[in-house]
Amino acid sequence: MSENEVGKEILRLEHISKVYGRNKKEAAELAHKGLKKDEIKQKTGATLALHDINLSINQGEVFVIIGLSGSGKSTLVRFINKLHEPSTGKILYEGKDILTLSKKDMIAFRRDKVSMVFQHFGLMSHRNVIDNVAYGLEVRGIEKEIRYAKAREMLHLVGLGDIEEQTIDSCSGGMKQRIGLARALASDSEVLLMDEPFSALDPLVRKEMQFELLTIQRRLKKTIVFITHDMDEAFKLGDRVAILREGRLVQVSTPQFMITNPADDYVRTFIESADKTKVVSVSQIMQTPTCVVRLTDGSTRALTQMRLNGVSSAYVVNQQMKLQGIVTAKDALDASASKKLVADFMLQDVPTVEIDAIIADILPIAVSAPYPMAVVEDGILRGIVTKASVISTML
Amino acid sequence: MDWFFNFPFKSEWDPESIDRVIKQFSINNKVFFDGIKAGLNGMISTLYNILSWVPWWGYLILVFVLGYLIKRSWRTAALFSGMLSLVGFFGLWDLMLITLSIVLTSVFLSLLIGFPVGIFMSFSDRANQVLRPVLDTMQTMPVFVYLIPAVMFFGLGKAPAVLATTIYAVVPIIRLTNLGIRQVDEEVVEAARAFGSTRMQTMVKVQIPQAKATIMTGINQTLMMAMAMVVTSSMIGASGLGMEVLISVNRIEMGRGFVSGMAVVIVAIILDRLTQSVVKEKEKSL
């Protein structure tokens, strides 16, 4: 999931626009001048669905496109396998413009390179489960035994066992979308287009499916273009997130960057709808540890440090900056008479959190910790997180 | 003030000119029309031969078995074959077979023409726009009007009857095939395309199977329309149960009319129930 696993660019959208209705040219000109959808509709009668979209999607990343209904996100994703065609612009797959492909090449492209998962599953009710999963292989003309074997493998991968012979109607929503996912994976295509795949599921099943998708993604490293209107989902799944508003891109960045640097008020309100504790990581809110003492320091030095920094506890580290424990002002005062070293009276039971943990995960510790939590990376002290900073991410 | 109450513009044009054109057309293309007529008569008599090769009890058993298989009820099955045996009781068995051969030939032709046309209309909006008023006309035109050109081109007999019946009965199968395919969930069609189906694969593997229930309804409707033409087409010499009804009307023989009319009803009901249950069965499994 981390960015360093992401490979080179695989998909590139250049100046993609889509206008419905008459006066397309006029509408495009007005769009360039920055007029809004409604104004263009009023002046020309044309509906501007998308305007000048430029995106670069890398191999192996989960790229989330988020927007409200009517923002053009479902149309946009359908350009990538040419279910819809943009009015202008190019879509480059590994450098080749797919919009100029011949009919035959386009069919080959859909068979080998991209597959799709649909909001309402798009399953064929006249076929049983396995024939649905094997559909993509069937139209390629692959033999029954081979495609069934592949389909079975995919069904197991998505956590469905022996339901091959069942009818689609007998499956629950969650099962149906697993079947949809299995069908998409069966083609072994590089790019997976997912058009609001979990929106039709109830919240619990949705969470389960999100987890399932992440697990599968870790194994298969597909390039996923994921469409959603749910900010939580976008931040949870996306390596990068693009926000679409009325046919225009507002911001494209990693979730973490977007939270700390929203491009405008629209993005800000959008983000506010999300649960930030699930996105913000400890590294983003931690402070540099100022009050640090060594094992070999005396109690007087510890007290001085605390006084200088205006705090009531100090972290204890060894020569390699590895966290050893904590000393409190009270213990240091008690020990000052006996001239003990820090190592003798420090508390070793310190609340610590990993540097890449997200806030939601550390909440239970944060609530009960009597001191600021120490942030560690491989045992080395990197920073401290106070209760106040944790709480502020939730507001 | 005469123009106020009576429509003042009258064309000097004579509808008989159409007659002359058509007459001339049929004379000029006599070989062509005779060929079609011979082909139709061949189909009808082949079908009749097959139908009359099956003994009477074969039909009773067939209806009983089908009735049970489809309705899952011994009583319905017995009712169907009991009703059918009434036709034999009245001495109308052979006439029924003649009627069936005409009706089934018409249905066969209707499906042969209507199914592809319906498919064509489903993916061409232009064809849909052009053909819809044509279909409306075909369905609302008084059926007797079809009889006249049919007679002009093919003379009297079963061949023109089949033709007139086909024109009338082809409409529902076209309409419902078109409708059924258009009604298929768009996402399902998109899915088929997204996985690299050719247009043909999308049609055969997805759209037609998904539209099956509606198409079956179309077949049922076509069958019923063809049955409705039985008496009308007897006016141009199609023998069978319809002819019996027509004769008894002309002679005001009430009993004979009632009996042959009932036979038509019985055949229609059995055909309808059997095909309709197939539709419902399909809908349930979908």
Side-chain angles (χ1 to χ4, degrees), chain B residues 56 60 81-94 96 259 263 266:
Chain B
W56 62 272
L60 296 189
S81 48
M83 277 163 65
L84 193 61
S85 61
L86 270 183
V87 178
F89 220 68
F90 296 142
L92 297 171
W93 194 267
D94 196 51
M96 177 190 75
V259 168
I266 287 171

Side-chain angles (χ1 to χ4, degrees), chain B:
Chain B
M1 284 296 279
D2 187 47
W3 61 269
F4 190 84
F5 292 104
N6 295 305
F7 192 73
F9 310 106
K10 265 183 198 149
S11 151
E12 294 304 310
W13 178 73
D14 179 9
E16 266 179 48
S17 59
I18 294 184
D19 301 9
R20 280 193 293 277
V21 171
I22 290 183
K23 215 176 261 171
Q24 198 56 44
F25 184 72
S26 76
I27 292 168
N28 290 347
N29 299 287
K30 194 170 186 321
V31 184
F32 174 70
F33 288 118
D34 282 354
I36 291 185
K37 186 178 181 178
L40 286 176
N41 278 329
M43 282 172 71
I44 299 163
S45 56
T46 311
L47 191 60
Y48 175 73
N49 287 338
I50 296 170
L51 288 175
S52 53
W53 178 77
V54 180
W56 62 272
W57 45 267
Y59 286 98
L60 296 189
I61 293 174
L62 185 74
V63 166
F64 187 83
V65 171
L66 283 180
Y68 178 71
L69 282 182
I70 291 167
K71 292 278 188 183
R72 292 278 157 207
S73 145
W74 295 113
R75 279 175 63 186
T76 319
L79 184 67
F80 282 173
S81 48
M83 277 163 65
L84 193 61
S85 61
L86 270 183
V87 178
F89 220 68
F90 296 142
L92 297 171
W93 194 267
D94 196 51
L95 292 179
M96 177 190 75
L97 293 187
I98 295 174
T99 294
L100 268 182
S101 65
I102 294 172
V103 167
L104 293 182
T105 308
S106 310
V107 169
F108 174 72
L109 285 178
S110 298
L111 299 188
L112 202 69
I113 299 164
F115 191 54
V117 172
I119 290 173
F120 177 62
M121 277 177 78
S122 73
F123 61 76
S124 164
D125 284 336
R126 175 66 54 83
N128 195 29
Q129 274 172 8
V130 173
L131 284 177
R132 256 173 69 183
V134 176
L135 294 179
D136 290 340
T137 313
M138 283 166 78
Q139 220 169 11
T140 47
M141 179 77 82
V143 286
F144 297 98
V145 177
Y146 295 134
L147 300 180
I148 309 164
V151 170
M152 277 181 139
F153 291 136
F154 301 105
L156 294 174
K158 291 174 190 164
V162 162
L163 218 79
T165 307
T166 304
I167 295 174
Y168 186 59
V170 76
V171 181
I173 184 68
I174 296 180
R175 273 193 204 281
L176 287 161
T177 303
N178 178 24
L179 179 74
I181 292 176
R182 280 175 185 271
Q183 272 179 343
V184 174
D185 183 1
E186 217 218 331
E187 241 188 18
V188 176
V189 180
E190 272 188 336
R193 290 175 60 209
F195 284 96
S197 312
T198 60
R199 193 175 227 183
M200 195 62 166
Q201 284 172 327
T202 311
M203 189 55 75
V204 174
K205 287 177 190 285
V206 179
Q207 286 173 296
I208 292 175
Q210 288 276 309
K212 213 170 188 173
T214 315
I215 294 174
M216 287 305 292
T217 309
I219 295 175
N220 172 271
Q221 289 296 305
T222 290
L223 191 59
M224 289 301 102
M225 303 269 284
M227 279 306 292
M229 275 291 279
V230 163
V231 175
T232 312
S233 62
S234 68
M235 288 176 169
I236 52 171
S239 42
L241 294 174
M243 188 69 98
E244 275 293 295
V245 174
L246 192 69
I247 291 170
S248 30
V249 169
N250 287 342
R251 297 187 190 164
I252 322 186
E253 290 181 290
M254 216 202 277
R256 194 180 176 183
F258 179 73
V259 168
S260 44
M262 276 311 287
V264 173
V265 170
I266 287 171
V267 174
I269 287 181
I270 292 176
L271 286 175
D272 177 57
R273 292 299 184 273
L274 291 185
T275 49
Q276 212 175 51
S277 325
V278 176
V279 177
K280 282 188 183 139
E281 204 67 15
K282 278 276 165 338
E283 273 169 354
K284 243 183 269 166
S285 74
L286 277 179

Side-chain angles (χ1 to χ4, degrees), chain A residues 325-379:
Chain A
I326 194 169
V327 288
T328 62
K330 186 175 171 294
D331 289 344
L333 265 177
D334 292 346
S336 60
S338 56
K339 299 277 177 203
K340 275 193 209 162
L341 290 181
V342 164
D344 300 326
F345 62 88
M346 70 177 183
L347 300 167
Q348 280 175 332
D349 185 23
V350 191
T352 64
V353 293
E354 291 292 326
I355 193 162
D356 54 359
I358 58 169
I359 304 303
D361 290 343
I362 67 162
L363 275 178
I365 312 171
V367 169
S368 59
Y371 331 104
M373 291 164 292
V375 181
V376 294
E377 188 178 16
D378 299 329

Side-chain angles (χ1 to χ4, degrees), chain A residues 81-82 85 98-111, chain B residues 123 193 196-200:
Chain A
N81 57 3
K82 217 179 160 189
E85 252 180 282
I98 60 153
L99 295 175
T100 59
L101 290 179
S102 70
K103 233 180 195 172
K104 210 176 136 199
D105 290 342
M106 191 65 226
I107 285 172
F109 177 74
R110 287 175 184 157
R111 286 179 182 177
Chain B
F123 61 76
R193 290 175 60 209
S197 312
T198 60
R199 193 175 227 183
M200 195 62 166

Side-chain angles (χ1 to χ4, degrees), chain A residues 199-252:
Chain A
S199 304
L201 305 174
D202 60 64
L204 269 179
V205 181
R206 190 183 312 158
K207 286 212 170 98
E208 215 177 284
M209 290 297 294
Q210 288 165 349
F211 177 75
E212 197 89 23
L213 181 69
L214 284 178
T215 318
I216 292 170
Q217 168 65 1
R218 272 192 198 117
R219 271 174 67 181
L220 302 180
K221 305 272 185 331
K222 300 270 180 197
T223 307
I224 297 178
V225 182
F226 193 102
I227 307 293
T228 183
H229 62 254
D230 176 359
M231 205 68 188
D232 274 334
E233 190 170 69
F235 283 171
K236 187 168 179 183
L237 300 176
D239 292 318
R240 282 194 300 151
V241 177
I243 294 196
L244 205 56
R245 182 194 188 188
E246 293 190 349
R248 290 167 203 260
L249 275 180
V250 185
Q251 189 172 13
V252 184

